[in-house]
Amino acid sequence: MRILIVEDEEKIARLLELELTYEGYEAVKVHDGLDGFTMFQKEKWDLILLDVMLPGLSGIEILRRIRSTGSNIPVILLTAKDSVEDKVAGLDLGANDYITKPFQIEELLARIRAALRLSHQQGDSDTDSNWLQFSDVKLCEDTREVFRGKDFIELTPREFDLLAFLLKNARHVLNREQLLNGVWGYDYLGDTNVVDVYIRYLRNKIDKPYSQSLIHTVRGVGYVLKDEQ
């Protein structure tokens, strides 16, 4: 389990790093709000310990930006004793918990375990029920949400249906007739070039902004969703 510590007080950050490492977590600390949000974007974390009062960006602003990406990563706020407004704002923005400084490390560790346990249970539920995933693309059929990594991708209804069909048939080469039947329906009587048009639309949103392409053309056959390797 990887935990990101965003805390500007060196002694507290170092203490947290040592205690978490001793407990078997991989802990990384940063001391600036901008650095903290950058680390969230660049790497995969299981939980974030987030101080409210930070240089660069406040903890509340970091939390707002994290949740605006669609991420449900557990966030525990580290707050000052009398900062009731910060606690309320943080919980309203989607913080999973908070702990008041000064705190007992045993209590913080217990809160971390509880947040990770709940996140794991919710992740299992999502995977089992509503979500389709391939590589770093994740799609929820119930809410019709699509993410690539931490980025929310806005799709039209037809683009969404096409991506869902590709995800359900990942690594299988699909010809245009299969795609037409699966996405547009067996009674579709329009131009088969509509498949190529919507594949292009989808690539512009799912592939083009990213370093790794997932939607590939198989010459003379059709298309396949697969890793480049």
Side-chain angles (χ1 to χ4, degrees), residues 144-164:
R144 297 185 75 83
E145 294 175 297
V146 176
F147 295 92
R148 175 134 197 198
K150 298 182 179 70
D151 299 334
F152 174 75
I153 308 294
E154 188 170 344
L155 301 180
T156 67
R158 189 68 76 188
E159 290 167 352
F160 180 93
D161 293 341
L162 177 56
L163 179 60

Side-chain angles (χ1 to χ4, degrees), residues 6 27 62 78-79 84 93 113 119 122 145-146 157 199 216:
V6 190
I62 293 171
L78 308 177
T79 69
V84 176
L93 283 170
R113 288 193 295 269
S119 175
Q122 290 174 339
E145 294 175 297
V146 176
I199 286 287
H216 300 272

Side-chain angles (χ1 to χ4, degrees), residues 177-189:
E177 185 177 354
Q178 288 172 308
L179 289 165
L180 278 173
N181 291 338
V183 179
W184 281 264
Y186 288 95
D187 56 352
Y188 178 77
L189 299 175

Side-chain angles (χ1 to χ4, degrees), residues 56-69:
L57 280 179
S58 72
I60 297 298
E61 176 60 19
I62 293 171
L63 177 61
R64 186 191 68 77
R65 294 189 184 191
I66 288 173
R67 293 299 182 236
S68 72
T69 69

Side-chain angles (χ1 to χ4, degrees), residues 168-221:
K168 290 174 181 177
N169 295 277
R171 296 193 178 91
H172 293 279
V173 178
L174 301 168
N175 60 39
R176 287 170 180 78
E177 185 177 354
Q178 288 172 308
L179 289 165
L180 278 173
N181 291 338
V183 179
W184 281 264
Y186 288 95
D187 56 352
Y188 178 77
L189 299 175
D191 192 341
T192 59
N193 284 339
V194 71
V195 171
D196 305 309
V197 171
Y198 273 87
I199 286 287
R200 185 170 71 251
Y201 292 160
L202 203 53
R203 277 175 166 161
N204 285 337
K205 296 179 179 180
I206 295 295
D207 278 349
K208 194 172 182 181
Y210 302 93
S211 58
Q212 183 186 33
S213 295
L214 296 176
I215 303 171
H216 300 272
T217 301
V218 180
R219 288 181 177 271
V221 183

Side-chain angles (χ1 to χ4, degrees), residues 12-129:
I12 294 177
R14 179 59 177 159
L15 172 66
L16 291 172
E17 182 184 38
L18 290 171
E19 291 287 350
L20 290 170
T21 301
Y22 180 77
E23 292 293 321
Y25 300 105
E26 181 184 344
V28 176
K29 66 182 188 300
V30 295
H31 306 295
D32 178 273
L34 286 170
D35 291 339
F37 186 66
T38 299
M39 288 292 284
F40 159 75
Q41 291 178 301
K42 286 173 58 178
E43 300 186 30
K44 187 179 186 305
W45 307 97
D46 295 291
L47 183 140
I48 298 177
L49 292 177
L50 182 60
D51 188 25
V52 171
M53 300 295 293
L54 291 165
L57 280 179
S58 72
I60 297 298
E61 176 60 19
I62 293 171
L63 177 61
R64 186 191 68 77
R65 294 189 184 191
I66 288 173
R67 293 299 182 236
S68 72
T69 69
S71 172
N72 291 319
I73 184 173
V75 176
I76 297 179
L77 294 179
L78 308 177
T79 69
K81 188 174 183 179
D82 56 352
S83 58
V84 176
E85 291 182 0
D86 288 335
K87 295 171 185 175
V88 172
L91 292 171
D92 284 344
L93 283 170
N96 298 75
D97 202 352
Y98 67 84
I99 191 163
T100 302
K101 298 178 184 178
F103 50 80
Q104 294 294 320
I105 193 65
E106 291 80 7
E107 181 184 0
L108 177 59
L109 290 171
R111 290 174 182 268
I112 288 171
R113 288 193 295 269
L116 289 171
R117 187 163 56 245
L118 181 60
S119 175
H120 181 70
Q121 291 169 353
Q122 290 174 339
D124 286 346
S125 175
D126 286 344
T127 301
D128 291 343
S129 55

